[in-house]
Amino acid sequence: MNALVAENVEKKFANHLALDDVSITVPEGSVYGLLGPNGAGKTTLIRIINQITAPDKGQVFIYGEKMQSKHVENIGYLPEERGLYKKMKVGEQALYLCQLKGLSKAETLKRLKYWFEKFEIQSWWDKKVEELSKGMQQKVQFIITVLHKPKLLIFDEPFSGFDPINTKMLKDEILNLRNEGATIIFSTHNMASVEEICDHIALINKSRKILEGPINEIRNNYASDIYEITFEGYFNKLESTLTSDYKILDVVENSQKSTMKVEVLNKNIKSNDLITIMTQYGNISSFQKHLPSMNDIFIKVVEETNTLIK
Amino acid sequence: MSKIGLIIKREYTTRVKKKSFIVMTILGPILFASLMILPAVLMQLEDDEFKRIAVIDETGVFVNSLTNTEYIEFYDFSGRYFDQKTFTYDVTKATDDLKDSDYYALLYIPKNAVNNIKGSVILYSYTQPNVGIKMHIAHNIENKLKNIKFQVTADDLQITQEQIDEILSVANSEIQVVTNIIDEKGEFKETHSEVAMIVGYVSGFLIYMFVLMYGTQVMRGVIEEKTNRIVEVIVSSVKPFQLMMGKIVGVALVGITQFALWVLLTIGLVSAGQAIVLKDYDASKLNPTVMEMGSELDATSVVPDEKAMEFEEIFQAVYSVNYFAVIACFLFYFIGGYLLYGAMFAIVGSAVDNEADTQQFMLPITLPMVLGLFVMLTAMQNPNGSLAYWFSIIPFTSPIVMMARIPYGVPYIDLFISMALLVITFVFTTWFAGKIYRVGILMYGKKVNYKELWKWFRYKN
């Protein structure tokens, strides 16, 4: 089943179209990356999913049901622009915000105790929020977001402002939640973290979805015929053989080993042909197809659509 | 608890726990109570100390008419400082002697006092004498002077003292206009405009103050949520309209709590103050000069009866106002006016990023309120004039202006139209505010003008 399906969503503001016929499908149990340049419409889409704003056209389904107000209790949302009441105490505030999500007071207290112990922050309970550092506040906010055990979690730029240790902790927690059955949508500019934790992605640019699918499939689709090879043997001879149909990139020559990338220019040549040639001059200790990074794909696709739209 | 209940609870408890609220709640009644008790206390304190006053009376006429009281005694020293050689009184020596004596002050009445009393009588002392002493002396001398002049006139006109008294009593008779209102049944009802005026003024002004004070709190609260960036987290759990209404209602409850505490604490403090400070309180001590003035003027002394009548009249006047109607209307107009303006304050809060930017939007809110206050001042004098009528019907000024009219008695139809319009208007403004609010709270870094607000209003949710 899909955790979330958005169909042909359109949202218009006074003089610009924020979302133009956007459809996404978020499979249950996935970590779904919502990518796109600044101002592409990601936050608007997230706000629609959270029922903060309503779409002008299109529909949203949550676990197969048409979106209704009761669904907010199944969603945990950590917005990009986040904050807490500065003058309120941490415990009081966590209690208040979680009760707003529909949890009972006793249950909230029980779960808060668990999380505060887990993060070892029990001593913060009676502190005012303004006494905490920004990173500490983010931890509190993370707890508040997940406390009501939502089936669907939405994180908008969750790693901004976190130090590497807390970033790692947060990543682990996100994967934990996924393993416990939650579905996670998260929006970020950090492509390395996308490769690390996302199963699916959608790329939005200029109010339109321009790419969607499982991350491995996408990376394979965008792969050109480039192979990463580690080779032991006569590199000079190899170099003189691989001429017209090949292109050798990024060579690092060691005393015996050399690592390189080889691009196959002729579409008729298969990887086996390349291997056959190479084995004549030495040993291949590793041979793998080069997959483009999400960063490369992001830039490539966004630039392509930008020129198209122009 | 429902979500809006949770919001109301938070808005209420965080404000009620604030130091500023507690300080205001305690200071307010102390201030009110001291305003009520202080004059009486001061009057008592002033007369507490026994004072001897030496008198040099060059005329020889007045010294015997200075009456001693419980706290003041006069001693004639005219003889001691009379210089037989120059036939003058040595005031300088007298003031020098005063320094080390146990006399509090020296009263000097010069020769020309009979003909030109204004500014000629001097009271020398080393500390500032209180108003009570000055008034006592002035009254004594004034009455004596009057009697002398009456005597002279009486001699000239060849009439007796009795005749003079009669003329005086006619001339002195105070005229009081009794106002009677004829109601629908044709029955007469005595009214007291003075009390109605005060009650109307105070309640109208309180509404103005409370609406402005708590409206601003709503606005600050919205700005706080916006600048803290917590608002997006909250509106992912509740509807923006619920958040706005929760805030408005929560703050209203704070206002009502504060008002109720003020009333209760003031009543408590005043009665406690009266019990402690004015143990031996009775009407005569509260105002000694008035008492003496009366007895001086009229030897037969009908004062106690007159006093009693006066009190009765005051009580009657105070009770002639229908307080049940005043309190009920006060609550209605306070809540109605607050809801009307509270919603507008919420719009302002949602439209700006910080408090400094609120100025441009505040004018349309404060203008009708200040206008209402000014119209109220006129309405107090002419409660049924067309100005008072229209402004007590128009919802933006009606909470203030109608309160000034109510103690005088307002036709039910006026009241009904005014209240109905107020309810319709605040329902409308709240709906209108809700539409702007939900867009505004998520909008950052935009210079907002009225056109922009209109655009927000027309967004579909």
Side-chain angles (χ1 to χ4, degrees):
Chain A
M1 197 204 271
N2 290 319
L4 179 117
V5 177
E7 278 177 2
N8 312 102
V9 170
E10 188 179 307
K11 178 79 186 174
K12 211 178 217 160
F13 288 117
N15 35 28
H16 87 283
L17 203 56
L19 290 173
D20 183 6
D21 199 27
V22 171
S23 303
I24 62 168
T25 304
V26 181
E28 191 177 1
S30 65
V31 177
Y32 191 94
L34 199 56
L35 318 178
N38 294 323
K42 289 171 299 186
T43 301
T44 306
L45 182 60
I46 287 174
R47 283 181 180 170
I48 286 172
I49 298 168
N50 278 300
Q51 301 181 40
I52 293 170
T53 49
D56 296 338
K57 279 183 199 159
Q59 287 180 320
V60 179
F61 297 90
I62 290 178
Y63 286 93
E65 286 178 333
K66 199 158 184 257
M67 190 169 69
Q68 300 156 35
S69 55
K70 67 165 186 181
H71 288 133
V72 295
E73 289 173 13
N74 297 329
I75 299 179
Y77 175 40
L78 187 67
E80 181 178 7
E81 299 290 0
R82 51 189 167 250
L84 297 162
Y85 290 110
K86 292 202 166 34
K87 303 270 173 203
M88 241 176 138
K89 284 176 182 163
V90 173
E92 245 174 29
Q93 182 145 224
L95 206 55
Y96 170 64
L97 291 172
C98 294
Q99 277 179 283
L100 278 188
K101 275 285 182 192
L103 275 185
S104 75
K105 192 174 175 182
E107 187 60 31
T108 313
L109 273 173
K110 204 176 95 191
R111 293 191 199 172
L112 277 175
K113 194 165 169 271
Y114 165 79
W115 278 99
F116 272 58
E117 273 168 18
K118 183 169 182 181
F119 283 0
E120 295 173 345
I121 56 170
Q122 297 99 312
S123 62
W124 296 0
W125 187 269
D126 273 326
K127 277 194 182 155
K128 279 189 181 167
V129 169
E130 59 189 356
E131 294 168 44
L132 303 183
S133 74
K134 199 177 173 205
M136 291 156 108
Q137 291 184 25
Q138 301 232 21
K139 268 191 194 172
V140 175
Q141 246 157 354
F142 175 80
I143 295 173
I144 292 169
T145 310
V146 302
L147 199 83
H148 59 292
K149 296 188 179 161
K151 287 198 277 183
L152 182 60
L153 278 156
I154 301 171
F155 297 106
D156 199 350
E157 287 293 346
F159 305 121
S160 67
F162 269 109
D163 62 35
I165 293 170
N166 283 328
T167 304
K168 184 179 178 302
M169 186 197 77
L170 192 60
K171 270 182 198 163
D172 292 346
E173 283 307 327
I174 288 176
L175 292 175
N176 265 346
L177 289 164
R178 199 260 323 263
N179 295 340
E180 283 165 17
T183 307
I184 291 134
I185 297 179
F186 97 96
S187 141
T188 183
H189 291 128
N190 182 343
M191 292 302 143
S193 64
V194 172
E195 281 168 27
E196 211 171 322
I197 61 177
C198 286
D199 318 317
H200 283 67
I201 63 131
L203 182 55
I204 294 178
N205 188 30
K206 305 242 164 176
S207 318
R208 291 202 187 129
K209 183 189 78 181
I210 49 178
L211 194 63
E212 187 186 17
I215 193 162
N216 291 330
E217 222 169 79
I218 288 174
R219 288 178 76 184
N220 274 316
N221 288 347
Y222 278 84
S224 37
D225 286 338
I226 298 177
Y227 300 92
E228 290 167 16
I229 302 158
T230 314
F231 175 74
E232 294 165 32
Y234 303 102
F235 179 72
N236 293 342
K237 288 186 179 166
L238 182 66
E239 198 179 15
S240 54
T241 318
L242 298 175
T243 47
S244 59
D245 287 341
Y246 304 92
K247 195 176 171 191
I248 300 175
L249 312 158
D250 304 339
V251 185
V252 182
E253 268 189 89
N254 246 335
S255 51
Q256 283 129 28
K257 271 187 196 169
S258 33
T259 60
M260 68 193 92
K261 282 181 188 157
V262 178
E263 188 176 359
V264 182
L265 300 173
N266 188 334
K267 292 279 170 208
N268 298 322
I269 295 170
K270 299 273 175 279
S271 53
N272 277 354
D273 302 330
L274 180 59
I275 292 171
T276 314
I277 295 171
M278 291 184 88
T279 46
Q280 294 168 14
Y281 303 105
N283 279 325
I284 300 169
S285 52
S286 81
F287 187 96
Q288 74 175 77
K289 192 162 184 179
H290 169 75
L291 290 178
S293 69
M294 275 314 298
N295 207 36
D296 296 338
I297 297 173
F298 184 96
I299 293 168
K300 190 176 173 211
V301 176
V302 168
E303 277 175 353
E304 264 172 21
T305 50
N306 282 355
T307 47
L308 267 177
I309 289 165
K310 270 176 204 159
Chain B
M1 198 187 277
S2 73
K3 286 180 182 179
I4 194 158
L6 280 168
I7 296 170
I8 292 171
K9 191 178 143 209
R10 195 201 81 86
E11 296 293 337
Y12 182 81
T13 47
T14 51
R15 282 188 173 75
V16 169
K17 276 196 261 170
K18 265 189 192 159
K19 279 195 199 92
S20 57
F21 177 84
I22 296 166
V23 169
M24 278 282 280
T25 306
I26 293 168
L27 279 187
I30 290 176
L31 194 73
F32 296 143
S34 50
L35 279 179
M36 289 178 184
I37 306 175
L38 215 60
V41 174
L42 281 181
M43 221 171 264
Q44 269 218 330
L45 292 179
E46 273 174 2
D47 287 338
D48 241 14
E49 204 186 323
F50 182 77
K51 294 183 182 83
R52 266 185 279 223
I53 296 175
V55 182
I56 296 177
D57 181 6
E58 289 185 357
T59 64
V61 178
F62 295 107
V63 68
N64 293 321
S65 58
L66 293 167
T67 54
N68 293 339
T69 72
E70 213 177 318
Y71 303 106
I72 311 169
E73 265 175 26
F74 294 97
Y75 293 89
D76 187 1
F77 280 90
S78 308
R80 189 185 290 182
Y81 293 102
F82 184 64
D83 192 332
Q84 302 279 351
K85 286 168 206 157
T86 54
F87 285 92
T88 53
Y89 294 85
D90 195 346
V91 181
T92 327
K93 188 168 180 298
T95 51
D96 285 346
D97 289 349
L98 179 67
K99 196 168 192 178
D100 300 315
S101 70
D102 50 358
Y103 287 89
Y104 172 73
L106 172 71
L107 178 65
Y108 171 63
I109 306 170
K111 221 180 273 170
N112 63 351
V114 183
N115 300 317
N116 184 19
I117 193 81
K118 215 171 241 175
S120 62
V121 175
I122 302 170
L123 185 70
Y124 295 98
S125 68
Y126 285 95
T127 54
Q128 178 66 35
N130 66 45
V131 185
I133 296 178
K134 276 165 81 176
M135 273 171 67
H136 181 70
I137 294 169
H139 281 301
N140 277 229
I141 294 176
E142 211 175 280
N143 287 331
K144 182 65 188 172
L145 198 61
K146 262 188 204 159
N147 284 341
I148 293 169
K149 296 219 160 149
F150 289 147
Q151 199 57 59
V152 172
T153 319
D155 288 350
D156 284 356
L157 298 173
Q158 308 218 319
I159 49 173
T160 63
Q161 180 67 39
E162 284 75 37
Q163 283 171 309
I164 285 190
D165 285 347
E166 204 188 318
I167 294 167
L168 273 181
S169 70
V170 172
N172 277 347
S173 55
E174 245 178 75
I175 305 299
Q176 267 197 326
V177 177
V178 176
T179 47
N180 270 253
I181 295 231
I182 311 164
D183 64 15
E184 290 91 347
K185 291 175 212 150
E187 280 170 14
F188 296 104
K189 193 183 149 214
E190 198 175 329
T191 61
H192 298 268
S193 326
E194 296 81 6
V195 177
M197 201 162 117
I198 293 169
V199 171
Y201 176 77
V202 170
S203 42
F205 188 77
L206 273 180
I207 286 193
Y208 169 81
M209 201 178 80
F210 267 62
V211 167
L212 210 59
M213 210 161 87
Y214 289 101
T216 316
Q217 285 211 19
V218 170
M219 185 183 79
R220 289 225 181 95
V222 175
I223 295 174
E224 187 205 358
E225 273 165 7
K226 215 182 146 178
T227 48
N228 275 357
R229 311 264 174 171
I230 193 170
V231 72
E232 196 161 348
V233 176
I234 295 177
V235 294
S236 70
S237 319
V238 301
K239 294 223 156 46
F241 187 75
Q242 286 176 311
L243 178 60
M244 187 183 86
M245 278 322 284
K247 187 173 290 293
I248 289 176
V249 173
V251 173
L253 292 179
V254 176
I256 292 169
T257 307
Q258 182 151 66
F259 183 71
L261 282 175
W262 274 357
V263 171
L264 289 177
L265 284 175
T266 306
I267 292 172
L269 275 177
V270 169
S271 37
Q274 278 179 349
I276 296 163
V277 183
L278 309 175
K279 280 197 284 288
D280 37 15
Y281 168 86
D282 71 69
S284 62
K285 258 184 202 148
L286 195 65
N287 207 341
T289 44
V290 171
M291 279 289 291
E292 276 149 32
M293 222 171 82
S295 53
E296 184 82 3
L297 200 67
D298 204 5
T300 50
S301 184
V302 286
V303 172
D305 291 338
E306 218 171 65
K307 204 89 206 166
M309 274 167 63
E310 216 172 87
F311 270 113
E312 207 187 296
E313 203 174 297
I314 290 173
F315 281 126
Q316 213 186 339
V318 169
Y319 287 119
S320 73
V321 172
N322 183 349
Y323 285 99
F324 176 74
V326 170
I327 291 173
C329 290
F330 179 83
L331 280 177
F332 180 87
Y333 279 106
F334 164 58
I335 294 169
Y338 167 79
L339 288 177
L340 174 62
Y341 281 100
M344 297 204 286
F345 275 109
I347 296 183
V348 177
S350 72
V352 299
D353 286 350
N354 56 64
E355 227 178 306
D357 292 342
T358 57
Q359 289 304 325
Q360 56 161 333
F361 297 113
M362 288 298 279
L363 194 67
I365 298 178
T366 46
L367 206 63
M369 291 202 71
V370 173
L371 189 66
L373 204 61
F374 278 115
V375 173
M376 179 186 83
L377 296 175
T378 337
M380 280 178 355
Q381 279 151 34
N382 187 9
N384 290 311
S386 57
L387 187 73
Y389 173 79
W390 285 110
F391 278 89
S392 64
I393 296 295
I394 298 169
F396 290 91
T397 52
S398 67
I400 298 169
V401 179
M402 190 55 105
M403 277 323 290
R405 289 184 64 197
I406 281 168
Y408 293 93
V410 177
Y412 287 123
I413 181 75
D414 288 13
L415 208 56
F416 176 76
I417 296 173
S418 164
M419 285 181 162
L421 275 178
L422 184 61
V423 171
I424 292 168
T425 316
F426 83 61
V427 168
F428 173 76
T429 47
T430 309
W431 169 77
F432 182 78
K435 296 200 91 173
I436 293 179
Y437 177 86
R438 80 207 142 104
V439 181
I441 48 171
L442 297 171
M443 208 63 92
Y444 292 101
K446 215 171 188 179
K447 263 279 175 251
V448 178
N449 51 30
Y450 290 103
K451 210 177 130 198
E452 190 73 32
L453 288 186
W454 180 244
K455 230 186 263 168
W456 293 356
F457 170 69
R458 286 167 51 216
Y459 280 162
K460 275 197 229 152
N461 47 320

